[in-house]
Amino acid sequence: MKLSEDEWKKKLTPEQYHILREKGTETPFSGKLLHQDSNGDFVCAACGTVLFHSDSKYDSTIPGLEGWPSFADAAKSDAVELTDDNTFGMHRTEVTCKTCGSHLGHLFDDESSPTGKHYCINSAALDFQEKQ
Ligand SMILES: [Zn+2]
């Protein structure tokens, strides 16, 4: 899925555009999905691909990372793409949507996670689809 930056700007809200297309980060504890604990799928806000299931969402205990939705695993291993990110003088792993290339958040190690992995994802990069 390839859109021009102008087309993305029309499709997304300014906040979504900043996060998804300019690799922005939402303010901690501001996201609409931080406490979304219903059963369902978290999909890419840009292209609608299912990225995470609600059963992998958990509450991280890492100080500084608890302000964004946390997932232990992706819905499918090929739903997201992981790349090295060395911006801001830190070594981190960036998480992007494999379908549309949009920025979602970062991946960290986390002993409090069931898988040892912590997908720290911006609420604004996701939409939630509730399942009955
Ligand atoms: Zn996407």
Side-chain angles (χ1 to χ4, degrees):
M1 180 169 165
K2 295 261 183 275
L3 294 179
S4 72
E5 290 309 308
D6 274 353
E7 288 169 318
W8 281 121
K9 270 187 186 154
K10 282 184 199 141
K11 185 176 162 66
L12 301 169
T13 68
E15 186 195 23
Q16 286 176 326
Y17 182 84
H18 175 61
I19 290 167
L20 291 158
R21 308 306 307 175
E22 300 179 326
K23 304 185 191 299
T25 300
E26 70 197 6
T27 309
F29 301 103
S30 72
K32 65 188 190 300
L33 296 176
L34 180 58
H35 299 296
Q36 174 56 265
D37 293 322
S38 309
N39 185 34
D41 294 328
F42 293 84
V43 305
C44 177
C47 73
T49 300
V50 175
L51 299 174
F52 301 98
H53 293 310
S54 54
D55 55 12
S56 70
K57 192 168 183 293
Y58 73 105
D59 292 322
S60 176
T61 57
I62 296 187
L65 293 185
E66 67 275 69
W68 296 272
S70 307
F71 299 93
D73 209 356
K76 281 195 253 168
S77 59
D78 62 355
V80 297
E81 190 150 40
L82 305 176
T83 42
D84 286 333
D85 173 4
N86 293 309
T87 56
F88 301 110
M90 291 180 276
H91 176 79
R92 296 183 295 174
T93 302
E94 183 190 1
V95 183
T96 52
C97 172
K98 192 148 193 175
T99 307
C100 71
S102 291
H103 174 81
L104 304 171
H106 287 91
L107 177 67
F108 300 93
D109 292 326
D110 183 351
E111 286 178 359
S112 68
S113 160
T115 61
K117 295 292 178 191
H118 175 159
Y119 290 79
C120 184
I121 306 297
N122 291 287
S123 277
L126 301 171
D127 281 324
F128 183 69
Q129 294 178 347
E130 189 152 4
K131 275 189 201 159
Q132 296 307 316

